[in-house]
């Protein structure tokens, strides 16, 4: 909020202010790392709703710390970079604030120990990412992409919530650490695990839920870099890593995690080879790399988890560097089409060099950190205890060849000479302006980090070893090596590099082969068809259930009110004891008044006369309450009748004076029959309810039962009414004390509904030219001269915009 409020006075410098938060996070992580080594996991617990298992429990262990470091370090670079990327504008402070809120949500997610609390942060990341992807809200593609991402990840999140509840109920706890330490088992747990994995796969854009990620490239590049290198898409990987030691042996786990991961690894790499937008090359490459992470963490072995931790760090560094490099290219040349770019390597040698380091790390070329990650991945699946190790190992090798090929394609397309002209027949880059040192600093430093960690991997030993131990593997001592000798993993690495080089050199043929392949329905097409079918189905359902007929609506409400209590009423068997019919002659007089005025209201021809008869019936009931000795009920009835008459009078101003003549013979019979049915039901229900009342219930007996701990709900209310609320009228005490907030909420709902009705009526009365109120009507049955216009379409929320200098996407 501070960023949003003061940002308007700072311009793009607001990103420097916002960057203080991730910088503090990095300092905090350094301090926490020392403490974790000495004292173990750091926990903070606050009770919230213990009856429902809700608690604000945070737990920072070494694996959470690894994610905290990524969020903090990458955040510092992204916020600093964004200050040069964005132009000044009123939307910039809001973008900085939302990006900061997203980072905070991500930190809460990785440090939550209560799975329900973690789900809350999970959904916060979905909402804030929706706002961030739709930053350029003037572009329909950005709005559509934001909605696409929200629907897919939000739907997966709902499935995940169901799975977390099933697992939590089976385990008897919602503590993540306790569930992993003593995992429950059974069919319910298997179903719950499957639902949780649905959420993880959608969040990490795994096949077949991957189609939202390429569309999310409509976001400005700093946002893409942050979301798709170190934060949002890593949430699903984080969840799989957390649950893997407990559930990796389940069949549903292996099929879903390893199947989706393998498909994503291969499909993402394959699709990256035919993209001409260098940002889309990285997007499909991200899907592929996330698939590899899923395979590594999902296997549930120490060797693959070690490779997963290393790749988690390496991927954040090289992918953030490459995304930020794309932002520079787009910012300075106003294009991302690799067919149009030419000569940037000679013009920007430092930027090109940093991009080469990052791309080489992504491809697994020595001596970069990505090479170490790739070698450990191959070693992990060379172990005989790895699940389906030969098939998945083959997939890793093939997928890594794709990675080498699209990494070279990205680097050559962005910084090499043009092989052909762009779509408009021109090339750009030879005279592109040099980016400032501040602008180019972030991708350069991140690219160099990959080299430093590759040459000196021991710098990452504490972080990787601690993370591995926190997942339940090893004792925290890890010694990463760049050179592990001549072994099978090294041979496979050489095969990967050679295969990738062949694919790159034969890139034109590869493109032609892909174009010649038969087209199958893509995930994007399935999403679009599903969304269109959903909208069409909801439109038809709305047309059926919202016919616009008030009599139909009333019939549904009344019949529901009669049918719903019918089952328990029938189970009781009706009233056992009938009350005394007449205690006083005055009751007979009042009852006759009620019956006569009610029948008169039913047969009245004028609306106003009918309202008067209804009011008279209501006030006669007030008299009955007074005769029975219930002044509080009588007062309540007076207020209700008075308010009803006032409301009727206000409405009657806009209705015809008389009821419309009945042309259909059954038009009056059906409402009359329904009214008799409701009256008979209410009569029997009230008699039955009063018959089961405990007439021996006293305050003293209720207090004794409450003290003994075996009081019924009625006894509990009676025992506490005067003691805790100083009230002898239990009904009033319940309404205004015991459930006072509920009552206030109900009143608020009624007030809001009344305001909405007034607004709709006012809108319906307004003519297209803005004059007149349509008063008087045309005498139709409902008395509404103009139907209230209701737009059934839902506009996509427009989260704001932030202008980018390139004028294009991201």
């Amino acid at each position: 909020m501070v960023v949003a409020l003061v940002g308007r006075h700072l311009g793009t410098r607001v990103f420097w202010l916002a960057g203080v938060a991730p910088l503090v996070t990095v300092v905090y992580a350094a301090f926490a790392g020392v403490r974790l080594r000495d004292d173990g996991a750091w926990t903070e617990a606050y009770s919230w709703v213990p009856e429902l298992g809700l608690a604000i429990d945070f737990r920072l262990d070494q694996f959470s710390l690894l994610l905290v470091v990524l969020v903090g370090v990458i955040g510092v670079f992204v916020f600093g970079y964004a200050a040069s990327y964005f132009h000044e504008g009123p939307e910039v402070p809001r973008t900085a604030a939302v990006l900061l809120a997203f980072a905070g949500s991500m930190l809460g997610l990785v440090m939550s120990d209560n799975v329900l609390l973690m789900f809350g942060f999970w959904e916060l990341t979905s909402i804030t990412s929706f706002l961030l992807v739709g930053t350029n809200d003037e572009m329909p593609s950005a709005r559509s992409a934001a909605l696409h991402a929200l629907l897919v990840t939000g739907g997966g999140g709902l499935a995940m919530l169901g799975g977390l509840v099933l697992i939590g109920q089976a385990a008897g706890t919602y503590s993540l650490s306790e569930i992993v330490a003593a995992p429950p088992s059974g069919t319910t747990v298997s179903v719950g695990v499957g639902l949780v994995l649905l959420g993880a796969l959608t969040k990490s854009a795994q096949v077949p839920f991957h189609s939202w990620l390429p569309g999310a490239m409509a976001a400005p590049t700093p946002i893409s870099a942050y979301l798709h290198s170190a934060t949002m898409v890593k949430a699903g990987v984080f969840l799989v890593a957390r649950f893997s030691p407990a559930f990796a042996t389940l069949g549903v786990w292996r099929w879903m995690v390893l199947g989706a991961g393998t498909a994503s690894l291969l499909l993402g790499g394959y699709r990256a080879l035919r993209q001409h937008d260098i940002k889309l090359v990285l997007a499909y490459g991200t899907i592929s790399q996330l698939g590899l992470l899923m395979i590594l963490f999902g296997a549930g072995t120490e060797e693959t988890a070690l490779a997963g931790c290393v790749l988690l760090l390496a991927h954040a560094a090289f992918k953030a560097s490459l995304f930020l490099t794309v932002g520079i290219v787009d910012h300075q040349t106003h294009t991302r089409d690799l067919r149009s770019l030419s000569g940037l390597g000679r013009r920007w040698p430092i930027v090109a060099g940093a991009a080469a380091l990052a791309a080489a790390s992504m491809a697994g070329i020595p001596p970069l950190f990505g090479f170490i990650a790739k070698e450990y991945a191959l070693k992990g699946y060379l172990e005989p205890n790895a699940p389906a190790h030969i098939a998945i190992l083959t997939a890793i090798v093939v997928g890594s060849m794709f990675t080498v090929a699209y990494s070279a394609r990205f680097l050559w397309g962005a910084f090499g000479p043009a092989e052909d002209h762009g779509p408009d027949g021109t090339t750009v880059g030879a005279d592109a302006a040099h980016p400032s040192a501040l602008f180019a600093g972030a991708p350069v430093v991140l690219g160099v980090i990959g080299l430093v960690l590759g040459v000196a991997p021991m710098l990452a030993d504490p972080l990787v070893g601690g993370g591995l131990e926190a997942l339940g593997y090893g004792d925290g001592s890890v010694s990463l090596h760049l050179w592990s000798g001549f072994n099978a993993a090294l041979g496979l690495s050489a095969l990967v590099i050679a295969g990738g080089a062949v694919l790159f050199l034969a890139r034109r043929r590869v493109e032609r082969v892909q174009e010649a392949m038969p087209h199958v329905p893509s995930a994007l097409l399935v999403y679009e068809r599903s969304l269109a079918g959903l909208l069409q189905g909801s439109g038809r359902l709305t047309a059926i259930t919202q016919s616009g007929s008030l009599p139909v609506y009333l019939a549904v409400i009344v019949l529901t009110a009669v049918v719903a209590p019918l089952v328990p009423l029938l189970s009781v068997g009706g009233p056992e004891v009938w009350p005394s019919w007449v205690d006083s002659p005055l009751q007979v007089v009042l009852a006759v008044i009620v019956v006569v005025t009610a029948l008169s209201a039913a047969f009245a021809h004028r609306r106003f006369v009918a309202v008067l008869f209804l009011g008279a019936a209501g006030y006669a009931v007030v008299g009955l309450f007074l005769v029975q000795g219930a002044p509080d009920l009588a007062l309540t009835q007076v207020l209700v009748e008075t308010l009803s008459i006032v409301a009727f009078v206000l409405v009657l101003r806009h209705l015809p004076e008389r009821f419309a003549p009945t042309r259909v013979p059954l038009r009056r019979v059906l409402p009359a029959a329904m009214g008799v049915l409701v009256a008979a039901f209410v009569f029997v229900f009230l008699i039955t309810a009063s018959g089961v009342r405990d007439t021996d219930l006293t305050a003293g007996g209720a207090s004794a039962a409450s003290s003994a701990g075996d009081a019924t709900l009625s006894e509990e209310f009676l025992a506490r009414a005067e003691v805790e609320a100083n009230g002898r009228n239990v009904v009033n005490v319940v309404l205004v004390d015991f459930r006072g907030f509920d009552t206030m909420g109900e009143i608020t709902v009624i007030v809001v509904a009344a305001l909405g009705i007034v607004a709709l009526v006012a809108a319906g009365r307004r003519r297209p030219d803005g004059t007149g109120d349509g008063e008087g009507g045309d005498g139709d049955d409902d008395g509404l001269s103009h139907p209230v216009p209701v737009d059934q379409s839902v506009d996509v929320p427009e989260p704001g915009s932030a202008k980018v200098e390139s004028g294009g996407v991201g």
Side-chain angles (χ1 to χ4, degrees):
M1 291 182 64
V2 173
V3 169
L5 292 175
V6 306
R8 67 184 66 179
H9 306 294
L10 298 177
T12 57
R13 290 173 296 176
V14 68
F15 286 104
W16 290 111
L17 174 64
V20 173
L23 184 60
V24 170
T25 301
V26 175
V27 175
Y28 165 81
F31 166 73
V34 176
R35 174 171 172 170
L36 290 178
R37 280 203 304 272
D38 298 335
D39 303 334
W42 191 351
T43 60
E44 295 286 345
Y46 303 95
S47 178
W48 185 8
V49 188
E51 294 83 0
L52 299 178
L54 290 174
I56 304 176
D57 293 341
F58 291 104
R59 185 175 188 272
L60 180 65
D61 60 14
Q62 296 277 10
F63 188 67
S64 297
L65 182 68
L66 194 153
L67 272 297
V68 170
V69 168
L70 292 184
V71 173
V73 172
I74 302 299
V76 169
F77 285 110
V78 167
F79 277 101
Y81 174 93
S84 300
Y85 181 87
F86 285 100
H87 268 314
E88 292 189 4
E91 303 84 3
V92 167
R94 184 175 56 188
T95 302
V98 175
L99 192 59
L100 195 57
F102 171 82
S105 304
M106 194 67 199
L107 289 176
L109 191 156
V110 300
M111 292 193 294
S112 297
D113 191 41
N114 185 289
V115 293
L116 299 180
L117 179 65
M118 182 183 68
F119 170 77
F121 285 113
W122 183 283
E123 290 302 291
L124 280 178
T125 62
S126 296
I127 294 171
T128 49
S129 63
F130 163 76
L131 299 173
L132 291 170
V133 172
T135 297
N136 295 320
D137 62 345
E138 296 176 354
M139 300 167 54
S141 60
R143 297 197 298 270
S144 176
L147 182 63
H148 188 177
L150 181 66
L151 289 177
V152 174
T153 59
L158 290 178
M160 189 185 79
L161 175 61
L164 292 175
V165 171
L166 290 178
I167 296 174
Q169 289 297 109
T173 178
Y174 287 96
S175 168
L176 177 60
S177 56
E178 293 179 8
I179 291 174
V180 174
S185 60
T187 304
T188 302
V189 174
S190 297
V191 173
V193 169
L195 293 174
V196 169
L197 288 179
L198 274 180
L201 297 179
T202 54
K203 198 75 164 182
S204 289
Q206 294 297 280
V207 174
F209 311 108
H210 62 286
S211 59
W212 67 265
L213 196 147
M217 295 301 109
T221 300
I223 293 173
S224 300
Y226 202 32
L227 266 60
H228 306 308
S229 67
T231 53
M232 180 181 176
V233 294
K234 295 289 176 62
V237 175
F238 170 80
L239 195 62
V240 168
R242 280 295 190 194
F243 278 113
S244 181
F247 301 113
T249 56
L250 292 178
V252 63
W253 177 281
R254 298 210 170 198
W255 279 108
M256 291 185 68
V257 176
L258 301 183
T262 304
S264 302
L265 171 65
L266 296 175
L267 184 65
Y270 174 78
R271 293 290 299 273
L273 293 176
R274 71 182 189 194
Q275 305 301 321
H276 295 130
D277 184 334
I278 54 176
K279 197 174 182 183
L280 283 180
V281 173
L282 296 183
Y284 282 101
T286 300
I287 295 172
S288 180
Q289 294 291 316
L290 291 172
L292 181 55
L293 282 168
M294 285 287 181
I295 292 173
L296 295 176
F297 281 116
T301 66
E302 180 177 347
E303 294 79 10
T304 55
L306 170 63
C309 291
V310 178
L311 184 58
L312 206 61
L313 289 173
H315 179 265
F318 66 66
K319 193 52 66 73
S321 174
L322 291 174
F323 268 119
L324 297 182
T325 301
V326 168
I328 294 175
V329 172
D330 190 17
H331 192 275
Q332 302 299 100
T333 66
H334 307 288
T335 182
R336 300 193 310 249
D337 194 319
L338 54 80
R339 296 167 296 181
S340 302
L341 295 169
S342 178
L344 287 179
R346 291 192 302 272
R347 191 160 181 80
W348 303 342
I350 296 178
V351 175
L357 289 176
S361 184
M362 181 167 65
I365 305 296
L368 281 304
F369 199 45
F371 167 75
I372 298 176
K374 193 65 63 65
E375 271 225 321
Y376 275 87
L378 295 170
K379 287 179 185 175
Y381 272 94
L382 283 170
E383 296 291 331
N385 61 337
H389 64 283
I390 295 179
I392 297 180
L393 181 64
T394 305
I396 293 176
V397 170
V398 175
S400 299
M401 289 180 181
F402 290 156
T403 304
V404 173
Y406 69 69
S407 298
R409 177 184 169 85
F410 168 87
L411 193 63
W412 188 263
F415 297 100
E419 298 181 341
D420 51 17
H421 296 296
D424 56 356
T426 60
T427 59
V428 296
D431 56 349
H434 288 275
S436 66
L438 198 59
F439 193 19
V444 171
V445 173
L446 287 168
V448 172
I449 285 176
L451 176 62
V452 172
L453 290 178
V455 176
M458 69 288 296
L459 296 175
D461 284 351
L463 204 54
V464 173
L468 199 63
E469 183 184 17
L471 291 177
Y473 305 111
D475 56 1
S477 59
V478 169
S479 179
L480 300 176
H481 298 285
L482 174 63
W483 174 253
S484 300
F486 293 99
N487 50 33
L490 182 63
L492 289 176
S493 294
L495 178 63
V496 164
I497 295 173
V502 171
L503 285 174
F504 170 68
L505 294 175
R507 55 189 176 280
R508 291 186 179 280
R509 181 172 299 179
V510 172
E511 287 185 21
R512 288 196 294 272
V513 170
Q514 291 206 24
E515 291 174 356
M517 293 287 286
H519 293 280
V520 295
S522 65
L524 179 60
L525 181 62
V526 172
Y527 162 78
E528 291 175 344
R529 295 283 176 83
S530 302
L531 186 60
L534 184 64
L535 293 175
Q536 188 176 12
S538 63
R540 291 180 178 176
L541 184 63
T542 302
I544 295 173
T545 58
Q546 303 292 322
S547 61
S549 171
L550 290 179
V552 172
Y553 295 161
L554 287 176
V556 171
I557 295 172
V558 168
L559 289 177
T560 302
V562 171
V563 172
L566 194 60
V567 175
L569 183 62
L570 293 176
S571 65
V572 172
E576 297 179 356
V577 179
W578 290 89
S580 173
W581 289 103
V582 178
D583 294 328
S584 166
L586 190 55
Q587 290 177 334
V588 177
V589 176
L590 292 171
V592 170
I593 294 175
V594 171
V595 172
V596 171
T597 51
L599 291 174
S600 301
F603 289 98
H605 297 286
R606 296 175 181 272
R607 285 186 166 86
F608 186 70
V609 174
V611 169
L612 290 180
F613 279 126
L614 283 178
Y619 286 117
V621 173
V622 172
L624 285 173
F625 286 148
L626 288 173
V627 171
Q628 288 296 110
D632 53 343
L633 289 180
L635 178 60
T636 304
Q637 182 71 16
V638 167
L639 295 176
V640 170
E641 290 299 330
T642 304
L643 287 175
S644 299
I645 291 177
V646 171
F648 272 126
V649 170
L650 292 176
V651 173
L652 288 179
R653 293 178 60 245
H654 308 288
L655 295 176
E657 181 182 354
R658 290 175 173 273
F659 290 108
T662 303
R663 300 183 178 88
V664 182
L666 294 178
R667 184 65 182 270
R668 282 184 177 272
V669 175
L670 289 178
M674 196 172 301
V676 171
L677 176 65
V678 172
F681 169 77
V682 171
F683 176 77
V684 175
F685 182 82
L686 291 179
I687 295 297
T688 304
S690 62
V692 299
R693 185 178 57 185
D694 186 1
T695 56
D696 298 330
L697 185 63
T698 62
S703 299
S706 178
S707 301
D710 59 350
T712 63
L713 187 60
S714 301
E715 291 172 337
E716 197 69 39
F717 280 138
L718 184 59
R720 295 189 179 192
E722 187 169 4
V723 176
E724 298 185 5
N726 296 320
R728 295 183 178 179
N729 189 319
V730 179
V731 175
N732 286 347
V733 169
V734 170
L735 289 176
V736 302
D737 282 283
F738 293 160
R739 58 185 299 273
F741 284 110
D742 292 345
T743 304
M744 185 178 69
E746 292 165 358
I747 295 173
T748 304
V749 170
I750 292 174
V751 171
V752 172
L755 293 175
I757 292 172
V758 171
L760 286 173
V761 170
R765 292 170 52 197
R766 192 176 301 119
R767 290 173 177 168
D769 58 0
T771 61
D773 59 4
E775 190 172 348
D778 55 6
D780 60 3
D781 289 350
D782 296 328
L784 294 175
S785 57
H786 301 285
V788 177
V790 178
D791 186 1
Q792 297 179 356
S793 65
V794 179
D795 291 336
V796 178
E798 298 181 350
S801 64
K803 297 176 181 177
V804 293
E805 193 169 324
S806 64
V809 179

